[in-house]
Amino acid sequence: MTALFAAHHTSPALSGDRFTVLYRIIGSEQEARERAEDILYEQTVEFPPDLVPAGPIRDGIVGKLEDFTVRSCCCEALVSYAVETAGEELPQLLTVLFGNISIKPGIRIEEITLPDILKKSFYGPRFGIQGIRRLAKVQRRPLLCSALKPMGLSPSGLAELAGRFTDGGIDIIKDDHGLANQPFSLYRERVRSVGRMVTEVNARRSGSTIYAPNITAPFDQLLDRAYMAKEAGAGMLLIPPGIVGLDALRVLAKRSDLNLPIMAHPAFLGSYVTSPESGISHAALFGTLMRIAGADASVYPNWGGRFSFSKEECLSIARACTVEDPYFPPIFPAPGGGMSLERAAELHEAYGENALFLIGGGLFRGTGDVAANVRQFRHLVGG
Amino acid sequence: MTALFAAHHTSPALSGDRFTVLYRIIGSEQEARERAEDILYEQTVEFPPDLVPAGPIRDGIVGKLEDFTVRSCCCEALVSYAVETAGEELPQLLTVLFGNISIKPGIRIEEITLPDILKKSFYGPRFGIQGIRRLAKVQRRPLLCSALKPMGLSPSGLAELAGRFTDGGIDIIKDDHGLANQPFSLYRERVRSVGRMVTEVNARRSGSTIYAPNITAPFDQLLDRAYMAKEAGAGMLLIPPGIVGLDALRVLAKRSDLNLPIMAHPAFLGSYVTSPESGISHAALFGTLMRIAGADASVYPNWGGRFSFSKEECLSIARACTVEDPYFPPIFPAPGGGMSLERAAELHEAYGENALFLIGGGLFRGTGDVAANVRQFRHLVGG
């Protein structure tokens, strides 16, 4: 044993830079302290504490408990890890943050804080709020986005719908996240039909509506579909990191020859936030992590719609998307999920101007004149 | 409105083949019935039911409630979807199974059943239990696997450890899932050092120990690292689909020029199973989905170790890994997470011979003679 862990095998040179995670832990103070101690080992050496040899691995690689606070709901443990444990790679950062302990109930990530050196190693959002505003030619008001649906429409049907949205002056048209590459609407055909329609109607009315195709693609086709989208006139991409992986988003954001803003969709990620006692906080998942990966807008279900997020949870996401950061520009919180024209004023007041409002089925209500409904929605938020 | 959904836009040609999902829903019978109805729309058209036009989209694309059962814990809704909604692509299959409703608390996937036509469109496990047995040259007993750790050891330290495991005749050596591409142990250097050592010791003792490097890689380096592993002598790959995406696993499994068995690791997936009321059942996640994607072995934490899965949950995973299927060969359930030599007999009896036991820190206990501990463990399970 001793020989295996001899000094020449165990002297990682560490910079001293560390990232920190605030974990919320359920249980009595003593239980929570034990669980916090366990996290330090489980997330790094994954080795029984008594077997970790004294020296650089124990001193530098094992996580450190920086603070421990007893609260009424739970305890909070602030843990730091050497940046070298993540090796400047996002997938490995996720492993250290939550890989194995995701499987242990009663531990939730509340906050993630990266040191500058780790932020620099990720590209981050290429556009952010200001970049999307430039493309959409909207200086101050909230942006409006709707979705092409329902699944089952043909490419020409979706294109016709996109034409009406564009005619109404909507800022962004995204594919519904359920549109992929189905036989009734193949990806290439859909993206070309819709892209052409949006380009034509924009030209006719001097509009700047942006089309964001959905890239729920097989691993080995994802980049091809992104470039195909760009060629077809897309001005943004919609990506579900819960399905294709958060690092796929990072790679798309970083590609300078692609140069398209990215909207992250929460599909398949809900299980991380459905329990207040496990998983990841709304702000850390839909705000911090999406921004680290390079999303320029982060979609999540708003309060009062079809889903169950509270107003406080939604506004915590918006804060994490927009809080000042020297490396990552603020990104758009993009609340949706059962929005309506009637709620435009309320949402505008709650979020202020730096939000991207998603409205889907709601635009088909009333007279059923989609373009007129878009104009009314724009008017309601000051546009 | 009417024009948008005119017949020529809305007549998807459907085969009639459907996949089914058994959802467990929390709430009173009436609430559960309403939520089941909601699932049919949320997971497909994502459109208010009253706005979905009569015709092929309503009849064919919207999910169908095939059965509804009231149980003491909850209700169970059996829902079917047209195979065309998934477009023969795994990422989109995940979207239909659980994309948006992952965000709605109180809905859990219990079982997933694919029709033959959809199974045929995925490649599935290339090796399965029999294929891994051939490579490991072990006909009947459970297989034994240990992990290279702790994080922080140099490549030469990890290689030395691998040499001892190989000398003891372990069947599989995997990288700890926390080893990625860190400065103290760069991927290329580690995989080459360990691969060389395992090859040498195998040659000396006519052994057939398999090395499975971990590929927690950036999206755009994942394939390169897989081929680099093969070149370095790896006989298997370890992949965390919760971090790199389930479809990355499928693509690696399908590549005939790579031709390596794949072991799936549960990192970051725990939040899907920590609540009995939300997420995905243990069997469906660690059994069915991994097998569909093409894993040849699926790692999960065993009962009685450091984690909280029950014996029943673990055995349900083993059943889902091994239940007979005309398209997908049975794969190894690979329980780990705090195993010990003392439990070998108990686990052998519970799982039978078709299991792959992971033991990490436990092999360093006792005399600390790793090779001797491996031999003892093999002896305990009949090898």
Side-chain angles (χ1 to χ4, degrees), chain A residues 38-173:
Chain A
D38 171 67
I39 290 172
L40 311 180
Y41 290 84
E42 187 72 57
Q43 294 306 99
T44 53
V45 292
E46 210 192 325
F47 217 61
D50 61 303
L51 291 182
V52 177
I57 292 182
R58 178 181 291 274
D59 297 343
I61 299 293
V62 172
K64 286 193 203 311
L65 184 61
E66 303 284 356
D67 198 14
F68 186 90
T69 311
V70 181
R71 303 213 177 273
S72 56
C73 61
C74 53
C75 295
E76 285 182 351
L78 185 68
V79 173
S80 76
Y81 302 100
V83 292
E84 287 81 4
T85 61
E88 300 191 8
E89 294 181 353
L90 183 56
Q92 175 60 12
L93 177 66
L94 298 178
T95 303
V96 178
L97 293 174
F98 203 52
N100 264 9
I101 54 167
S102 73
I103 313 172
K104 297 189 175 183
I107 301 175
R108 189 170 110 134
I109 291 182
E110 285 300 305
E111 281 179 30
I112 299 161
T113 309
L114 305 187
D116 291 353
I117 191 159
L118 203 47
K119 286 183 185 166
K120 275 190 230 170
S121 72
F122 300 125
Y123 188 82
R126 178 179 288 275
F127 291 83
I129 288 178
Q130 288 312 317
I132 292 180
R133 285 195 180 284
R134 273 194 302 277
L135 296 175
K137 297 185 183 152
V138 175
Q139 290 313 307
R140 304 208 32 140
R141 62 169 171 80
L143 265 62
L144 301 180
C145 174
S146 194
L148 298 177
K149 53 171 96 167
M151 184 196 286
L153 277 189
S154 65
S156 60
L158 294 165
E160 189 173 329
L161 184 54
R164 297 195 183 199
F165 283 140
T166 310
D167 195 44
I170 199 140
D171 301 306
I172 300 166
I173 299 170

Side-chain angles (χ1 to χ4, degrees), chain B residues 73-96:
Chain B
C73 61
C74 53
C75 295
E76 286 183 349
L78 184 69
V79 174
S80 75
Y81 303 100
V83 292
E84 288 80 3
T85 61
E88 300 190 8
E89 294 181 355
L90 183 56
Q92 175 60 11
L93 177 66
L94 298 178
T95 304
V96 178

Side-chain angles (χ1 to χ4, degrees), chain A residues 341-356:
Chain A
L341 292 173
E342 291 70 23
R343 294 188 64 200
E346 171 205 354
L347 298 179
H348 191 177
E349 188 176 330
Y351 283 103
E353 65 184 27
N354 280 333
L356 199 164

Side-chain angles (χ1 to χ4, degrees), chain A residues 17 31 75 77-78 94 97-98 120 175 233 244 246 273 315 371:
Chain A
D17 290 306
E31 287 164 350
C75 295
L78 185 68
L94 298 178
L97 293 174
F98 203 52
K120 275 190 230 170
D175 282 343
V244 300
L246 195 63
V273 298
L315 295 180

Side-chain angles (χ1 to χ4, degrees), chain A residues 316-336:
Chain A
S316 76
I317 297 171
R319 276 193 303 275
C321 285
T322 55
V323 66
E324 204 172 329
D325 187 290
Y327 292 95
F328 299 149
I331 66 172
F332 269 119

Side-chain angles (χ1 to χ4, degrees), chain B residues 296-341:
Chain B
D296 301 288
S298 177
V299 175
Y300 58 90
N302 201 36
W303 74 89
R306 306 194 305 276
F307 297 84
S308 62
F309 289 12
S310 70
K311 182 173 180 179
E312 190 187 339
E313 287 161 350
C314 292
L315 295 180
S316 75
I317 296 171
R319 277 193 301 277
C321 285
T322 54
V323 67
E324 205 172 328
D325 187 291
Y327 292 96
F328 299 150
I331 66 172
F332 270 119
M339 312 272 285
S340 64
L341 292 173

Side-chain angles (χ1 to χ4, degrees), chain A residues 46 89 176 225 268 272, chain B residues 46 89 176 219 225 268 272:
Chain A
E46 210 192 325
E89 294 181 353
D176 187 31
R225 288 206 193 154
F268 221 83
Y272 291 103
Chain B
E46 211 193 324
E89 294 181 355
D176 187 33
F219 175 82
R225 287 205 194 157
F268 221 83
Y272 291 103

